[in-house]
Amino acid sequence: MFCAFDLSAQNLIPNGDLEDTIPKNFDLKFAAEWDSPTNATPDYYTEYHNNLNNRGVPYNLNGFQQPKSGIAYVGFLVFSKPNPDFREYLQNQLVRELKKDSVYCFQVYVNLADSFTYATRNTLGVYFTDKMVDTNSVLYLGYVPNLILDSNYIEEKQSWIKMHSNYKAAGGEKYLLIGNFSNDSSIDTMALTGGSQLYYQATYLYFDDFYLGSCDSLPQDTSIGLIERKLKFKEAKVFPNPSTAQFNIEVKKADAYTLEVMDHSGRAVISDSFNGSTTQLNLAGFSEGVYFLRIISDRRAYYQKIILQD
């Protein structure tokens, strides 16, 4: 295993951070240099889409998630119980073709969308090819992926998971596809708590910060904002979570706080205030599913996903 001497620190995946955009339709944008190899349509989430078709950041139609970096990320279905063998994929034309017998390192950050009720494993694959894929199908592509990234269930709905693997090139590969290349009969799934609608009986993943290049130049995690958010979560405790109605809230530092609860579309369903370091939140009468709790004061802010279940 080696990395060829002429592989630079350059990311061979153009727009790997998904920040550059192109017009899509109406007022929507999509990530430049990326497309769908099929008629299925991955989603692009960005601050440019806030208050537009539920494709904003951090609130969107499938949950609450801050980008790993920047202001954007993408998402798509890798499994859908109501729609057998339905798949979505992303495709990218590399900066240059890969060199025979050179070893490249692939890395991406992944997160399971809040409302979805299935985790999968041994399904998320990366396929390298010398030809662009273009088909009218919306079903799974039966290619044999060169990399399988998810040996464990992808069930994390809060933090971004770093996934990476090495690839020894056959030579001449110009395109990269990522998605689930298996049919439903061979998929290993695990049921989770999430939204009650039929659509959410599926696995939907968010993706950010793709990299392919020298193994000696893997990008380091310098997302200070992400680190800060993790620390803030530790300073507030919400329990029990999930709950059938009542949540207890304990904040590390006493203060005057505004408390807001948003549904999965970012619409505020509760707005209240409290003084001190403890309070209770009662969601009796609300529909089961994932909600987003925000507690703010003049000096600090706390965010938490909460789950209401029967």
Side-chain angles (χ1 to χ4, degrees):
M1 299 284 285
F2 65 96
C3 288
F5 71 92
D6 62 340
L7 291 179
S8 70
Q10 179 188 26
N11 188 354
L12 298 182
I13 301 176
N15 196 25
D17 60 6
L18 306 165
E19 298 300 306
D20 295 335
T21 65
I22 56 174
K24 184 177 180 181
N25 51 52
F26 300 103
D27 293 325
L28 290 175
K29 301 176 183 293
F30 199 72
E33 310 293 345
W34 294 89
D35 62 30
S36 172
T38 71
N39 276 357
T41 54
D43 302 303
Y44 185 56
Y45 302 99
T46 173
E47 289 183 3
Y48 295 129
H49 289 168
N50 284 354
N51 302 317
L52 181 66
N53 289 340
N54 291 318
R55 297 295 192 275
V57 167
Y59 300 103
N60 58 66
L61 78 166
N62 293 321
F64 174 101
Q65 186 55 253
Q66 298 281 0
K68 171 62 179 60
S69 65
I71 64 169
Y73 51 88
V74 295
F76 60 82
L77 283 165
V78 299
F79 165 72
S80 175
K81 188 175 180 180
N83 300 290
D85 288 336
F86 177 86
R87 300 286 183 272
E88 293 177 331
Y89 300 89
L90 279 175
Q91 179 171 239
N92 184 283
Q93 183 174 359
L94 304 177
V95 171
R96 60 176 180 269
E97 68 181 44
L98 303 187
K99 295 191 175 183
K100 180 178 174 60
D101 293 332
S102 293
V103 174
Y104 300 83
C105 286
F106 175 83
Q107 180 173 286
V108 66
Y109 287 83
V110 181
N111 180 268
L112 178 64
D114 293 301
S115 298
F116 287 83
T117 58
Y118 281 95
T120 58
R121 64 178 177 182
N122 297 321
T123 57
L124 183 60
V126 180
Y127 176 67
F128 295 95
T129 176
D130 60 348
K131 296 181 176 63
M132 182 177 69
V133 177
D134 185 10
T135 174
N136 292 329
S137 175
V138 294
L139 303 180
Y140 78 96
L141 298 175
Y143 301 120
V144 178
N146 302 103
L147 305 175
I148 293 291
L149 302 176
D150 55 339
S151 58
N152 298 314
Y153 288 111
I154 303 177
E155 55 182 310
E156 177 59 50
K157 293 185 176 184
Q158 180 168 301
S159 301
W160 288 94
I161 304 170
K162 180 169 67 175
M163 294 188 166
H164 55 88
S165 186
N166 293 353
Y167 174 61
K168 185 176 181 179
E173 297 93 326
K174 300 176 183 177
Y175 296 87
L176 171 154
L177 280 73
I178 185 167
N180 177 5
F181 298 90
S182 302
N183 59 27
D184 284 359
S185 63
S186 60
I187 295 177
D188 188 0
T189 63
M190 179 175 64
L192 303 171
T193 301
S196 58
Q197 295 92 330
L198 184 64
Y199 170 72
Y200 293 134
Q201 294 180 21
T203 304
Y204 185 100
L205 300 177
Y206 297 132
F207 298 85
D208 202 357
D209 289 354
F210 291 86
Y211 172 82
L212 179 72
S214 169
C215 300
D216 295 328
S217 303
L218 278 170
Q220 301 300 309
D221 186 358
T222 58
S223 178
I224 302 302
L226 184 65
I227 296 171
E228 290 176 346
R229 283 193 292 275
K230 288 181 179 178
L231 292 175
K232 288 175 180 178
F233 274 117
K234 293 179 180 178
E235 295 178 357
K237 184 177 181 181
V238 181
F239 63 95
N241 189 17
S243 174
T244 57
Q246 185 166 290
F247 298 83
N248 299 307
I249 299 172
E250 293 182 359
V251 183
K252 187 173 181 180
K253 295 183 179 181
D255 206 338
Y257 292 97
T258 298
L259 181 152
E260 295 180 344
V261 178
M262 283 73 66
D263 63 15
H264 63 81
S265 67
R267 179 176 61 91
V269 295
I270 289 179
S271 181
D272 204 350
S273 61
F274 70 95
N275 290 296
S277 60
T278 63
T279 189
Q280 291 182 329
L281 171 67
N282 195 316
L283 294 184
F286 285 86
S287 300
E288 66 175 343
V290 179
Y291 292 83
F292 312 101
L293 174 66
R294 178 168 61 183
I295 309 168
I296 55 177
S297 72
D298 291 338
R299 292 179 294 277
R300 55 185 63 88
Y302 309 96
Y303 304 87
Q304 181 65 283
K305 298 174 185 178
I306 57 177
I307 298 173
L308 182 66
Q309 62 183 21
D310 289 337

